Amino acid sequence: MKELLKELCMADGVSGDESAVRELIISRIKDVCEYSVDNLGSIICFKKGKKTPEKKLMLCAHMDEVGFIITYIRADGTLSFGNVGGIDPSVVIGRQVKVGRTRISGVVGSTAVHNLSKEQREKAPTTDSLYIDIGAADKAEAEKFVSIGDCAYFDSEYTELGGSRIKSKALDDRAGCAMMIELMHSELDYDTYFVFNVQEEIGLRGAIASSYSVAPDYAIVLETTTAADIDGASGAKRVCEVGKGPVVSFMDRHTMYDKELYRLAFDIAKEKEIPCQTKTMIAGGNDAGAVHISGKGVRTMAISLPCRYLHSPSCVIDYTDLENSYKLVQTLIGRIHEI
């Protein structure tokens, strides 16, 4: 699964511009399932299992990543941009990016520190104070390579750190996509729907449409979630910890998760000796926010990987958490129909 994860992370797919990721996923699943692509671009898959259950189960993960969109080409050839998804401007200054269909290289710049007033130096940067420099001499040259409305993507290498850590862009949520592809290549006890959603980072938009199409009774949302497990963070503010296993959420800003499914996950983890943890802050959200209130209502749970430096070009996970999440979800697919 590690090589698959690397390939998925290195594909570029900012929200609303997921075609490269979609094509890659389809190339990996087309021979093991029935699939279709909806009008927004999400991939809806059906995998036949050993049995057909009375109720319908859907697994989903989102294929989009955070990034940028070009809003203006300035006279000096630099590019104004807006964020696509929630990105802290302080993590992008000086970062290398790829811009537009030609993936021309650029770097995110800001006003030189000696040109800032004392008040400006003491304030956090804002996106509208930044720009992308692609090396163009002027606007006319920049327009040969970039158009307003083009996306820009973090240019970040996939790197293995220490014994089992992985650093990359887009681990949110290509890790979930990798797990679903791996599951689709395994033998399943029950018929299962798998959905690779678009546009999660800008308001759960793909999940709103795809959940309506599938109309599941149960849903397992595969995600990543913020780990703040570093010196200086204690108690609930650590949220979860990298290397301590999958994160099963009880509540976030969009969803109150099904309590019976929440307990089932921990029961399975104990039985299978899988390390497992919960999220100790009511924060964030994911596609479950759209899924659980779709149609007549969906009994929903979220299984997430703890991830440091989320929504940056240098997300960090532990590969053992990915393996243990896979084992937990694989068992859940069979057990969820027994409750």
Side-chain angles (χ1 to χ4, degrees):
M1 192 160 37
K2 191 178 285 187
E3 285 303 312
L4 172 61
L5 178 62
K6 179 179 180 180
E7 193 173 10
L8 288 166
C9 287
M10 289 299 92
D12 296 322
V14 169
S15 303
D17 185 35
E18 301 96 344
S19 58
V21 184
R22 181 167 50 250
E23 290 170 10
L24 174 57
I25 291 171
I26 289 173
S27 74
R28 294 293 182 269
I29 55 92
K30 63 183 179 180
D31 297 326
V32 296
C33 70
E34 301 171 14
Y35 75 90
S36 61
V37 177
D38 72 12
N39 288 337
L40 289 184
S42 298
I43 311 169
I44 300 175
C45 312
F46 175 74
K47 166 76 175 180
K48 189 70 179 169
K50 296 176 186 176
K51 305 173 188 174
T52 298
E54 291 183 9
K55 295 187 176 181
K56 196 181 295 184
L57 170 63
M58 177 182 76
L59 273 67
C60 65
H62 68 89
M63 65 175 108
D64 58 315
E65 64 188 281
V66 296
F68 314 98
I69 191 165
I70 305 306
T71 58
Y72 188 69
I73 302 174
R74 308 197 300 193
D76 63 358
T78 58
L79 314 174
S80 298
F81 64 90
N83 291 343
V84 180
I87 305 174
D88 180 353
S90 64
V91 307
V92 304
I93 296 174
R95 298 288 187 173
Q96 189 166 339
V97 294
K98 297 175 284 184
V99 185
R101 287 171 292 178
T102 63
R103 301 298 195 268
I104 190 169
S105 292
V107 65
V108 179
S110 61
T111 303
V113 66
H114 64 273
N115 285 331
L116 296 175
S117 67
K118 182 177 182 296
E119 291 76 19
Q120 289 173 319
R121 286 196 297 271
E122 292 173 350
K123 290 181 179 179
T126 58
T127 299
D128 59 10
S129 70
L130 308 179
Y131 57 87
I132 295 173
D133 186 345
I134 60 170
D138 53 30
K139 182 176 182 178
E141 185 176 4
E143 287 176 332
K144 295 177 182 178
F145 304 98
V146 179
S147 299
I148 293 173
D150 281 351
C151 287
Y153 323 85
F154 284 126
D155 191 355
S156 173
E157 291 299 315
Y158 176 103
T159 306
E160 296 187 21
L161 305 174
S164 59
R165 302 280 164 90
I166 292 170
K167 185 281 296 183
S168 179
K169 75 174 183 69
L171 284 165
D172 174 19
D173 184 32
R174 307 289 161 70
C177 293
M179 278 194 286
M180 292 210 308
I181 293 171
E182 195 78 3
L183 285 163
M184 292 171 72
H185 281 268
S186 69
E187 192 173 58
L188 302 179
D189 289 331
Y190 293 96
D191 299 350
T192 305
Y193 287 84
F194 294 85
V195 180
F196 300 86
N197 281 315
V198 296
Q199 299 187 38
E200 188 268 355
E201 298 291 3
I202 55 173
L204 321 182
R205 299 176 188 184
I208 293 170
S210 64
S211 298
Y212 180 85
S213 297
V214 176
D217 298 288
Y218 299 104
I220 304 174
V221 177
L222 304 183
E223 255 289 9
T224 59
T225 194
T226 300
D229 56 337
I230 55 174
D231 283 350
S234 61
K237 291 187 177 180
R238 291 175 73 83
V239 188
C240 59
E241 298 186 40
V242 171
K244 295 293 183 68
V247 179
V248 185
S249 297
F250 53 83
M251 180 180 176
D252 60 36
R253 286 188 296 179
H254 295 286
T255 308
M256 177 68 78
Y257 292 94
D258 186 283
K259 294 189 181 339
E260 190 173 6
L261 298 182
Y262 175 81
R263 289 191 292 268
L264 176 63
F266 282 97
D267 289 344
I268 291 172
K270 183 177 180 180
E271 174 192 327
K272 299 289 185 180
E273 298 183 337
I274 299 169
C276 195
Q277 58 186 316
T278 194
K279 185 175 176 177
T280 58
M281 286 189 73
I282 300 171
N286 54 54
D287 276 338
V291 172
H292 82 286
I293 55 174
S294 65
K296 297 179 180 179
V298 181
R299 299 184 66 179
T300 304
M301 66 188 309
I303 308 293
S304 304
L305 292 185
C307 180
R308 292 178 181 170
Y309 326 123
L310 203 67
H311 287 193
S312 83
S314 301
C315 303
V316 172
I317 63 166
D318 194 300
Y319 187 68
T320 63
D321 291 333
L322 182 64
E323 292 179 312
N324 285 317
S325 296
Y326 178 85
K327 292 174 187 176
L328 178 60
V329 174
Q330 190 174 40
T331 305
L332 274 165
I333 289 176
R335 296 278 187 87
I336 207 167
H337 293 290
E338 298 172 6
I339 63 174

